[in-house]
Amino acid sequence: MGRKRKKQPEARIEDGMGPTILCTEHVRSNLGYGIGVLVSGIIAIALLLFPLFSTSGWLLAIRWIGIPIIAAFIVMSVIQILNYCNRSLEVGDGGIRYTDCLRRQHRYTWDEVVAYDIREKSHALELVLAGHPRTFHTSSTNFDEMLDVVSSHTELIALSDR
């Protein structure tokens, strides 16, 4: 069997960031939607698999179509719950550290960041981090403070300019 690799100490971006603002998805409604869809999906699949009228062709068709669709909703709800637990954006003078739903951290300097102000249309700020769009909604914790730091380091592009 292979040898286990020793985990490297994490390089911290705070060294050049100065004071930072942490913006997270820890909003109760995010967790509520995720858990609600997850429980509803599990109940719906259980009802579809319940052997009532098992000879009906319609029920068989509903099962073949419904179960994959419901399974996709369950996957999306698990991602929503993981976003609630893990997703964050830390901004400071030295750049941005983005943590995704799987706790993978990505670091960006301000040169790699483009910010789109889409608050009028979707109540959110879209950050394009080295070509990867990430959206943070106004309901996110510390959104206003994060917006102040982002706007002081980048030019916010209005939705109409896009």
Side-chain angles (χ1 to χ4, degrees):
M1 294 211 192
R3 294 171 58 187
K4 289 186 180 179
R5 285 188 178 179
K6 200 182 226 184
K7 197 169 190 178
Q8 295 292 329
E10 179 183 335
R12 304 295 291 181
I13 195 170
E14 287 95 350
D15 299 336
M17 284 184 71
T20 60
I21 303 294
L22 182 64
C23 182
T24 67
E25 294 287 314
H26 296 299
V27 180
R28 217 170 60 196
S29 62
N30 290 346
L31 183 62
Y33 292 139
I35 291 174
V37 171
L38 179 67
V39 169
S40 300
I42 291 170
I43 290 171
I45 286 178
L47 289 174
L48 284 175
L49 293 177
F50 190 70
L52 232 139
F53 307 114
S54 61
T55 59
S56 168
W58 286 103
L59 183 61
L60 186 61
I62 290 172
R63 284 180 182 163
W64 279 98
I65 295 169
I67 289 176
I69 292 172
I70 295 168
F73 280 114
I74 289 174
V75 169
M76 289 188 295
S77 69
V78 168
I79 291 171
Q80 180 73 11
I81 293 168
L82 288 173
N83 277 335
Y84 171 84
C85 296
N86 301 328
R87 187 171 183 241
S88 67
L89 184 75
E90 191 171 353
V91 295
D93 291 334
I96 289 179
R97 180 175 50 229
Y98 171 72
T99 306
D100 64 14
C101 67
L102 299 175
R103 292 191 179 165
R104 295 179 298 200
Q105 293 186 351
H106 310 276
R107 293 169 184 81
Y108 304 97
T109 62
W110 287 113
D111 296 336
E112 300 173 291
V113 177
V114 178
Y116 293 102
D117 187 0
I118 56 174
R119 287 178 288 173
E120 285 183 25
K121 183 179 178 185
S122 19
H123 305 288
L125 177 71
E126 181 178 326
L127 297 173
V128 180
L129 307 170
H132 303 285
R134 305 288 181 234
T135 304
F136 278 81
H137 296 274
T138 55
S139 62
S140 300
T141 58
N142 297 325
F143 178 82
D144 293 329
E145 294 86 353
M146 182 264 300
L147 182 63
D148 291 340
V149 174
V150 169
S151 62
S152 68
H153 287 59
T154 64
E155 180 181 330
L156 280 179
I157 300 171
L159 182 62
S160 59
D161 297 341
R162 192 168 181 198

